[in-house]
Amino acid sequence: MLIAAAVCPYPPLMVSGVGPSGDPRLDDLRTACWSALDDLRAASPDVLVVVGPGDTTQDEAPRAGSLAPYGVDITIALPGAAEPSESHALPLSVSVGAWLLQRDGWDGTVSAATVAGDAGDADCVELGRRIANRADRVALLVMADGSPLRADTTPRDLRARATAYDAALASALRDGDPQRLLDLDAALAAEVGSPGRKALRVLAGAADDGLFDAEVTYEDASYGVGYLVGVWERHG
């Protein structure tokens, strides 16, 4: 059963050594993400599953990745990976999630799942249900960006639609209702290039018809991309 979830973005800039040092925008984003992990830890999950966009849909994703494509020779592994050097197949989304967990010192059981951009909507929901059935107390760390079209250089009408989509996403997260995530506009998400909608459908599937206390602790468009940090905790 899903007992808690956190939603975080996954810009490679958030990783120390990739982004500029001393940038308060990144510091604020990292702080919000680590605070969300504190909330997940307080829920005492039996297992934490990191979910993010990838090239394929997998219930069990590889456990290590590399940020070499982003200019730094950093190998990142999920907590508990015995041989982090044996595979570098994690997508960026889960790699950034693994980095957050490493820096946070997470010491519980962790696994990863990925969802492809062309995954069927029903398949995303079913993946979430399978994940929620892994243990009595399951937590999710969902890596999901908003629209990358929030910069001033984006044509005004398209930027307005990107802003509207990100606002709808934030509202759905604040509501704590899985159905609100399922109702996010698929056509608009595609138009504004948001890669996170499918991962959020996995969250909705895992949450099923549960009641959740929810909050959004970070909402900004740093670097022209919509970034949100939110936390869901099962009510009662």
Side-chain angles (χ1 to χ4, degrees), residues 12-20 67 70 72 74:
L13 289 175
M14 190 157 60
V15 177
S16 298
V18 179
L67 290 176
Y70 299 91
V72 290
I74 298 176

Side-chain angles (χ1 to χ4, degrees), residues 180-191:
R180 291 286 307 279
L181 294 179
L182 297 177
D183 289 342
L184 287 171
D185 190 324
L188 182 58
E191 181 183 10

Side-chain angles (χ1 to χ4, degrees), residues 50 63-65 76-79 90 92-104 110 141 143:
V50 185
R63 299 185 61 80
I76 296 175
L78 293 171
L90 271 183
L92 174 64
S93 61
V94 182
S95 293
V96 173
W99 179 82
L100 287 169
L101 293 171
Q102 281 184 346
R103 292 296 297 267
D104 180 72
V110 181
L141 174 56
M143 310 305 294

Side-chain angles (χ1 to χ4, degrees), residues 38-122:
D38 286 342
D39 290 335
L40 293 187
R41 182 180 285 106
S44 300
D46 298 323
V47 60
L48 171 66
V49 182
V50 185
V51 179
D55 292 335
T56 60
T57 300
Q58 299 184 72
D59 288 47
E60 292 286 349
R63 299 185 61 80
S66 172
L67 290 176
Y70 299 91
V72 290
D73 189 15
I74 298 176
T75 296
I76 296 175
L78 293 171
E83 297 291 341
S85 62
E86 69 183 10
S87 172
H88 300 288
L90 271 183
L92 174 64
S93 61
V94 182
S95 293
V96 173
W99 179 82
L100 287 169
L101 293 171
Q102 281 184 346
R103 292 296 297 267
D104 180 72
W106 189 278
D107 58 2
T109 302
V110 181
S111 65
T114 56
V115 58
D118 61 357
D121 283 355

